[in-house]
Amino acid sequence: MKEKVLAAIKEYNLIEENDNIIVGVSGGPDSMALLYSLLEVQNSIPFNVHIAHVNHGVRGDDAESDQLFVERIAKELNLPYYTKNVDMVGYGKEKGISSEEAGRELRYGFFRDILLKVGKGKIAVAHNKNDQAETLVMRFLRGTGIDGLKGMEFRVEDIIRPILGIDRREIESYIEKNKIETVLDKTNLEPIYSRNKVRLELIPYIEENFNPNIINTLWRMSNIAATDGRFLEEYSKERFNIIVKNKDKHSIILESGKFLKEHKSIQQRIIRVAIENLNGTLQGITETQINIVLRLFLALETGKEVHLSNNIVAKTRYNDLIIAKDHERDVVKYFYKLGIGETNLEGIEYSFKVRVFPKEKNLILDKSKNTRYFDFDMVKGSLGVRNRLDGDRIRPFGMKGTKKLKDYFIDEKIPKELRDRIPLIVDEENIIWVVGYRTNDLYKITENTKKILSISYN
Amino acid sequence: MKEKVLAAIKEYNLIEENDNIIVGVSGGPDSMALLYSLLEVQNSIPFNVHIAHVNHGVRGDDAESDQLFVERIAKELNLPYYTKNVDMVGYGKEKGISSEEAGRELRYGFFRDILLKVGKGKIAVAHNKNDQAETLVMRFLRGTGIDGLKGMEFRVEDIIRPILGIDRREIESYIEKNKIETVLDKTNLEPIYSRNKVRLELIPYIEENFNPNIINTLWRMSNIAATDGRFLEEYSKERFNIIVKNKDKHSIILESGKFLKEHKSIQQRIIRVAIENLNGTLQGITETQINIVLRLFLALETGKEVHLSNNIVAKTRYNDLIIAKDHERDVVKYFYKLGIGETNLEGIEYSFKVRVFPKEKNLILDKSKNTRYFDFDMVKGSLGVRNRLDGDRIRPFGMKGTKKLKDYFIDEKIPKELRDRIPLIVDEENIIWVVGYRTNDLYKITENTKKILSISYN
């Protein structure tokens, strides 16, 4: 294990001499193996190890005993130890993000704070080869491109993953051989049940029926995707720099003549680069939004604009293609994916329950106010919930054509202040339900319906 | 359905006016829906429809009654009808390919023969959106890159797939609504059981547990991958044309100075372009082989060479990187993937049976001459069978180090003529078994072995 970790450190330039390495230690086997293997590597490269542990404020006593365990280990190893108690659920509610995202933000925030105090270095986290395979499977099942299939990387800025290339089995045997104490696995911090279902059900099924070596197959796939993905990223940034005409903190202007000459694959990426340049992040920006911007830019009709998540606006003006911050708005545009099961969106104070079941004869659907039923086979792509965007249209139940959502709101006499707060259930093409109001006629249950999608809110 | 088919025809330029469209009709629902929707489209675009049916020489009476059915339909519709009886199993044996590959070759060969006779046109085949999803899942499970994830295309040269974007459900309801007669589905022509297992087990499981809309999700994924894949392909060909110094039918010479400046993603693709240019195909060329060539080209040691499948050799000479045909050899280099279950390789007159099972206490392994057992967790990537390549090394059972396979053959007194005919079971890193001779020591069963891989040959 030590040799593999050392090889990864060298190949990906993870640790430099005298770096301060903040090791995120939950106490589970992965992070303990990471910690001990880094201590072994110290014989080859001189660097400092700091132990950091976050108590996420869930799992009560268990979490406290984990915290005490990591503290004791740090003492025994005579290593600097930092710990913090956070309230990930409360923070998530406050920021309008899921508690998993909140946990991640708080955790990395804490690690970075330590790094700021102790000086130059990196944050080491304990993802392994099986985690990588699970990530790839989950992304594949939800839909992704090459950028998703590259999975996690050995290094992203100041975050390093020295044991990413090592599989769970080798970690376990390392723990066993070196008689390293650990606490139970921390999977209960993971986003709900899907990762566990992938780990415990789907991957074993694939191993048995299709590819006994799926973990390694996916590892290789992630490497291929990473190579192609890195090239596309570098190339797009190069092209972006050539195509950009003006760039400040309010807007980015691209030259349409040059933009139009690029391949569609690169055009899409240039739009992403522009948004990321302006906003620091691509979070909340979907494939669909990028394609809407692309259509706008290709049509090049002066004066048109589209509003995206995070108050970004894309517009055209003569030969300028513009991505800008939308200062007129103070409404947060949100978008969350909805999976089967219950999703609790604390940020918008709604929870949704999604079910799919076959339409059997004599089936009686419960007519509760909070539940609506749809023809499941009409759904295009995955489901999501968001608030309104410019250009939204709806085909209200019982009507033939579509109408502007804005006009629908006016007809329904919904006051302006409320309109941004009404959740819309969407698939990747249409609004299928204005929650609390009308559903989309296209998705209604008919005699041809085979499966029923039921959505409830609270 | 007609509108969607027409839209696809226009978007992908599938049919031009007065084209002769050879429609491959098995008689199953997909090909019958394709046939009837093309007849509807004839109202919008004038073209000629020809019906072609291949009897593959398997499934006896059933196949004959399908053939008679298609013949009757052609008569009723008053359309030109072509049919051919082939022996796909025998042809496969003769050519050293699997019978599925043989079937495909014979089928498309027949369609092209018709096209040659009737003049300018295309061959229309009946793959649909579900087939596409199944293809993506199968490729994902076996390992693939962006080029695999793009799936099948609406058009590749003279082959068109007008109903690729239509899902099985819509096809069925079209068949039902228009009261179109069909015969049973032709899935028994498909490569063994894995596609059926994907269709009947895995996809329904994914729909129920992860993504009810996986068919559409994968459809979108294939579109994204196709866009990126097309760009990478075009860009690599562009770069290839700049880097190529000399090109004739015996060899292709690349200029190393320019080659070294490219991104690794593009370097790999340039090697593929070169091989395809020289050989007309990339069949049999694995990811591993491309990487071996890349390492050779990057090291740039004059006089070194590596031999690839299909008698292609890659070598370096001062500043020249050379891909050439290897005229000294008349041995066919083959490579087949081995999955769990039985694989019958008629081309090399061997069949292999692969099983994986847990190592339980008191397990007694049958010591038959034709079966060997391995530590399954040692296997890297997927299994394959091939004959020897230059540079092959083996770590014979009971030995510590590795030795050249050539030396092993000499020690074992295996005559030169036989050496190319001995199948080697390989994973993506090592030879794990010289069939009929020694196994690889690395893969032996130890007390730590958890799962046993058993391979038998016949």
Side-chain angles (χ1 to χ4, degrees):
Chain A
M1 176 121 165
K2 183 211 157 182
E3 291 68 36
K4 286 193 185 170
V5 172
L6 186 60
I9 288 173
K10 285 185 175 160
E11 185 171 353
Y12 300 97
N13 191 22
L14 303 184
I15 299 180
E16 285 159 89
E17 274 193 25
N18 304 319
D19 261 354
N20 290 295
I21 303 300
I22 316 299
V23 187
V25 179
S26 70
D30 295 343
S31 62
M32 290 302 284
L34 169 65
L35 174 63
Y36 278 86
S37 60
L38 284 179
L39 294 177
E40 285 191 72
V41 169
Q42 278 184 317
N43 296 327
S44 313
I45 309 171
F47 62 88
N48 309 309
V49 170
H50 305 255
I51 294 184
H53 178 86
V54 173
N55 179 334
H56 292 83
V58 286
R59 301 192 306 134
D61 286 355
D62 273 359
E64 212 162 300
S65 90
D66 288 1
Q67 195 170 21
L68 290 171
F69 166 77
V70 177
E71 189 175 339
R72 172 166 68 75
I73 295 291
K75 248 183 218 154
E76 284 173 16
L77 294 170
N78 204 15
L79 290 171
Y81 170 69
Y82 311 82
T83 189
K84 189 176 184 178
N85 289 29
V86 299
D87 170 15
M88 95 176 175
V89 177
Y91 182 80
K93 274 189 190 157
E94 198 183 295
K95 295 266 286 185
I97 54 180
S98 73
S99 40
E100 288 77 23
E101 262 180 273
R104 201 160 32 236
E105 232 177 68
L106 288 165
R107 209 158 50 239
Y108 286 102
F110 175 54
F111 297 161
R112 288 215 170 90
D113 285 346
I114 303 168
L115 200 52
L116 270 178
K117 268 181 228 149
V118 302
K120 175 186 156 296
K122 320 261 163 45
I123 293 156
V125 290
H127 296 108
N128 65 34
K129 202 189 236 185
N130 296 62
D131 295 327
Q132 182 75 305
E134 288 153 20
T135 299
L136 258 67
V137 169
M138 287 168 64
R139 291 185 180 173
F140 180 79
L141 295 179
R142 287 173 190 168
T144 187
I146 201 161
D147 305 288
L149 290 177
K150 76 176 177 215
M152 299 175 280
E153 295 181 89
F154 276 95
R155 177 170 176 177
V156 180
E157 293 166 17
D158 57 355
I159 295 168
I160 61 172
R161 296 188 173 88
I163 62 168
L164 187 60
I166 297 173
D167 65 24
R168 195 160 286 146
R169 182 169 167 263
E170 189 166 348
I171 290 170
E172 278 162 13
S173 83
Y174 177 80
I175 291 283
E176 210 173 297
K177 220 177 80 192
N178 293 284
K179 300 195 176 60
I180 298 169
E181 257 184 283
T182 66
V183 297
L184 262 189
D185 217 328
K186 43 134 226 328
T187 39
N188 36 0
L189 284 179
E190 285 291 348
I192 40 171
Y193 76 114
S194 25
R195 184 176 287 264
N196 276 325
K197 217 173 168 71
V198 167
R199 178 177 302 173
L200 303 173
E201 256 183 55
L202 182 50
I203 288 186
Y205 167 83
I206 293 169
E207 283 176 334
E208 196 161 319
N209 291 282
F210 292 98
N211 180 352
N213 233 312
I214 187 73
I215 303 293
N216 284 314
T217 297
L218 294 179
W219 178 253
R220 251 183 306 274
M221 188 185 295
S222 77
N223 288 333
I224 297 172
T227 305
D228 286 340
R230 263 194 297 269
F231 166 72
L232 288 168
E233 198 186 315
E234 285 169 25
Y235 184 78
S236 308
K237 283 187 178 160
E238 239 173 63
R239 303 310 298 169
F240 170 79
N241 287 328
I242 290 170
I243 291 166
V244 71
K245 243 171 94 171
N246 191 58
K247 186 172 130 184
D248 59 37
K249 61 179 183 166
H250 306 293
S251 73
I252 284 174
I253 303 179
L254 305 171
E255 207 182 306
S256 77
K258 289 181 184 163
F259 182 85
L260 294 177
K261 277 190 205 129
E262 297 295 329
H263 191 280
K264 188 182 167 197
S265 155
I266 303 302
Q267 289 173 333
Q268 288 172 329
R269 281 164 202 276
I270 288 171
I271 294 171
R272 283 209 187 84
V273 173
I275 295 173
E276 205 177 0
N277 254 280
L278 193 67
N279 215 31
T281 172
L282 280 168
Q283 257 192 334
I285 304 292
T286 62
E287 187 67 25
T288 315
Q289 291 185 30
I290 297 291
N291 280 321
I292 291 173
V293 176
L294 182 60
R295 269 203 296 276
L296 174 80
F297 282 4
L298 296 181
L300 202 70
E301 286 176 72
T302 287
K304 287 237 172 175
E305 54 181 57
V306 290
H307 293 269
L308 311 177
S309 303
N310 307 321
N311 298 344
I312 298 279
V313 59
K315 46 194 174 189
T316 52
R317 195 178 57 205
Y318 305 106
N319 285 320
D320 290 345
L321 309 176
I322 304 166
I323 304 273
K325 284 198 178 151
D326 191 352
H327 294 290
E328 286 156 37
R329 302 200 162 212
D330 52 2
V331 176
V332 176
K333 294 289 173 188
Y334 64 84
F335 176 86
Y336 303 101
K337 284 217 167 179
L338 276 190
I340 303 266
E342 210 160 337
T343 309
N344 198 6
L345 299 171
E346 286 138 357
I348 58 166
E349 290 173 342
Y350 274 88
S351 77
F352 292 94
K353 196 172 165 189
V354 177
R355 289 187 310 140
V356 176
F357 47 88
K359 187 181 141 207
E360 273 146 17
K361 274 201 177 145
N362 308 320
L363 177 74
I364 295 164
L365 292 172
D366 168 33
K367 288 256 159 70
S368 104
K369 191 174 162 288
N370 291 350
T371 303
R372 289 293 176 279
Y373 303 97
F374 307 88
D375 183 337
F376 170 65
D377 287 304
M378 295 301 294
V379 176
K380 283 108 197 152
S382 48
L383 292 171
V385 53
R386 63 166 172 82
N387 48 0
R388 65 177 177 141
L389 294 174
D390 282 353
D392 271 346
R393 299 188 73 88
I394 167 100
R395 184 187 297 264
F397 188 84
M399 267 183 60
K400 275 277 158 209
T402 66
K403 69 197 287 183
K404 284 188 188 162
L405 183 63
K406 196 179 169 182
D407 294 340
Y408 174 75
F409 281 155
I410 292 169
D411 296 349
E412 292 283 327
K413 300 192 177 58
I414 297 166
K416 255 188 167 172
E417 320 69 86
L418 275 184
R419 291 178 196 166
D420 284 303
R421 291 169 58 189
I422 294 173
L424 309 170
I425 304 288
V426 297
D427 65 10
E428 297 183 24
E429 280 183 12
N430 298 305
I431 294 172
I432 73 174
W433 184 18
V434 181
V435 175
Y437 299 85
R438 213 73 79 88
T439 54
N440 187 325
D441 193 69
L442 266 187
Y443 296 73
K444 72 181 169 212
I445 311 268
T446 68
E447 54 180 25
N448 292 323
T449 302
K450 301 216 166 103
K451 283 181 184 165
I452 292 175
L453 166 71
S454 125
I455 308 180
S456 315
Y457 73 95
N458 243 318
Chain B
M1 176 121 166
K2 182 209 157 185
E3 290 71 34
K4 286 191 185 172
V5 172
L6 186 59
I9 288 173
K10 286 185 174 160
E11 185 171 352
Y12 300 97
N13 190 24
L14 303 185
I15 299 180
E16 284 159 272
E17 273 192 28
N18 303 319
D19 260 354
N20 291 294
I21 303 299
I22 316 299
V23 187
V25 179
S26 70
D30 294 342
S31 62
M32 290 301 284
L34 169 65
L35 174 64
Y36 279 85
S37 59
L38 284 178
L39 294 177
E40 285 191 72
V41 169
Q42 279 184 316
N43 296 328
S44 314
I45 310 172
F47 61 91
N48 310 310
V49 170
H50 305 255
I51 294 184
H53 177 88
V54 173
N55 179 335
H56 291 83
V58 286
R59 302 191 304 135
D61 286 355
D62 273 357
E64 212 161 299
S65 90
D66 289 0
Q67 195 170 20
L68 290 171
F69 166 77
V70 178
E71 189 175 338
R72 172 168 65 77
I73 295 291
K75 249 183 218 153
E76 285 174 15
L77 293 170
N78 203 15
L79 289 171
Y81 170 69
Y82 310 82
T83 189
K84 188 176 185 178
N85 288 29
V86 300
D87 170 13
M88 95 177 173
V89 177
Y91 182 80
K93 273 188 194 160
E94 198 183 296
K95 293 267 287 185
I97 55 180
S98 74
S99 40
E100 289 78 22
E101 262 179 273
R104 200 160 34 236
E105 232 177 69
L106 288 165
R107 207 157 53 238
Y108 285 103
F110 175 54
F111 296 161
R112 288 216 170 89
D113 285 347
I114 304 169
L115 201 51
L116 269 177
K117 268 179 228 149
V118 302
K120 176 185 154 301
K122 319 261 164 43
I123 294 156
V125 290
H127 296 108
N128 64 34
K129 203 190 233 183
N130 296 61
D131 295 327
Q132 182 75 306
E134 288 153 20
T135 300
L136 258 66
V137 169
M138 287 168 66
R139 290 184 180 174
F140 180 79
L141 295 179
R142 287 171 189 169
T144 186
I146 200 159
D147 306 288
L149 290 177
K150 76 176 177 216
M152 298 175 282
E153 295 180 271
F154 277 95
R155 176 171 177 178
V156 179
E157 293 164 19
D158 57 354
I159 295 167
I160 61 173
R161 297 188 172 88
I163 63 168
L164 188 59
I166 296 172
D167 65 24
R168 194 160 288 144
R169 181 169 168 264
E170 190 165 347
I171 290 171
E172 278 162 12
S173 83
Y174 177 80
I175 291 282
E176 210 172 297
K177 220 176 79 191
N178 293 286
K179 299 195 177 58
I180 298 170
E181 256 184 285
T182 66
V183 298
L184 261 189
D185 216 326
K186 44 132 224 334
T187 39
N188 36 0
L189 284 179
E190 285 292 348
I192 39 171
Y193 76 115
S194 27
R195 184 177 286 266
N196 276 325
K197 215 172 169 73
V198 167
R199 178 176 303 173
L200 303 173
E201 255 182 56
L202 183 51
I203 288 184
Y205 168 82
I206 293 169
E207 282 175 335
E208 196 161 318
N209 291 282
F210 292 98
N211 181 353
N213 233 311
I214 186 72
I215 303 293
N216 284 315
T217 297
L218 294 179
W219 178 254
R220 250 183 307 273
M221 189 185 296
S222 76
N223 289 333
I224 297 173
T227 305
D228 285 339
R230 264 193 296 268
F231 166 72
L232 288 168
E233 199 185 315
E234 285 169 24
Y235 183 79
S236 309
K237 283 187 178 157
E238 238 173 65
R239 302 310 298 169
F240 170 79
N241 287 329
I242 290 170
I243 291 167
V244 73
K245 244 171 92 170
N246 192 57
K247 189 171 128 184
D248 60 38
K249 63 179 182 165
H250 306 294
S251 72
I252 284 175
I253 304 179
L254 305 171
E255 207 183 307
S256 76
K258 288 180 185 165
F259 182 84
L260 294 177
K261 277 191 205 127
E262 296 296 328
H263 191 280
K264 187 182 166 196
S265 154
I266 303 304
Q267 288 173 334
Q268 288 172 330
R269 281 165 201 276
I270 288 172
I271 294 171
R272 282 208 188 84
V273 173
I275 296 173
E276 205 178 359
N277 253 281
L278 192 67
N279 214 32
T281 172
L282 279 170
Q283 256 192 334
I285 302 292
T286 62
E287 188 67 26
T288 315
Q289 291 184 31
I290 297 291
N291 280 321
I292 290 173
V293 177
L294 182 59
R295 268 203 297 277
L296 173 80
F297 282 4
L298 295 181
L300 202 68
E301 286 175 73
T302 287
K304 288 235 170 176
E305 54 181 57
V306 290
H307 293 269
L308 311 177
S309 303
N310 307 321
N311 298 345
I312 298 281
V313 59
K315 47 194 171 186
T316 52
R317 196 178 55 205
Y318 306 105
N319 285 318
D320 291 346
L321 308 177
I322 305 165
I323 304 272
K325 284 199 178 153
D326 191 353
H327 293 292
E328 286 156 36
R329 303 201 160 211
D330 53 0
V331 176
V332 175
K333 295 290 172 186
Y334 64 83
F335 176 86
Y336 303 101
K337 283 216 171 182
L338 277 190
I340 302 265
E342 210 160 337
T343 309
N344 198 6
L345 300 171
E346 287 138 356
I348 58 166
E349 289 174 343
Y350 272 88
S351 77
F352 293 94
K353 195 172 167 190
V354 177
R355 288 188 309 140
V356 175
F357 48 87
K359 187 180 140 209
E360 273 147 17
K361 275 202 176 144
N362 308 320
L363 176 76
I364 295 165
L365 294 172
D366 168 34
K367 289 257 158 68
S368 103
K369 191 175 163 291
N370 290 351
T371 303
R372 289 291 176 281
Y373 304 96
F374 307 89
D375 183 336
F376 169 66
D377 286 305
M378 295 302 295
V379 177
K380 284 107 198 152
S382 48
L383 291 171
V385 53
R386 61 167 172 83
N387 49 1
R388 64 177 178 143
L389 295 173
D390 281 353
D392 271 346
R393 299 188 73 87
I394 167 100
R395 184 188 297 266
F397 188 83
M399 265 185 60
K400 276 278 156 207
T402 65
K403 69 197 287 182
K404 284 188 187 162
L405 183 63
K406 196 177 170 183
D407 293 341
Y408 174 76
F409 281 155
I410 293 170
D411 296 351
E412 292 283 327
K413 301 191 176 56
I414 298 166
K416 256 187 163 171
E417 319 72 85
L418 276 184
R419 291 179 197 165
D420 284 304
R421 292 169 57 188
I422 295 174
L424 308 170
I425 305 289
V426 296
D427 66 9
E428 296 183 24
E429 282 183 11
N430 298 305
I431 295 172
I432 74 174
W433 184 18
V434 181
V435 175
Y437 299 85
R438 213 74 78 90
T439 55
N440 186 324
D441 192 69
L442 266 186
Y443 295 73
K444 71 180 168 215
I445 312 267
T446 68
E447 54 179 24
N448 292 323
T449 301
K450 300 214 169 106
K451 283 180 183 166
I452 292 174
L453 166 71
S454 124
I455 307 180
S456 315
Y457 72 95
N458 244 317

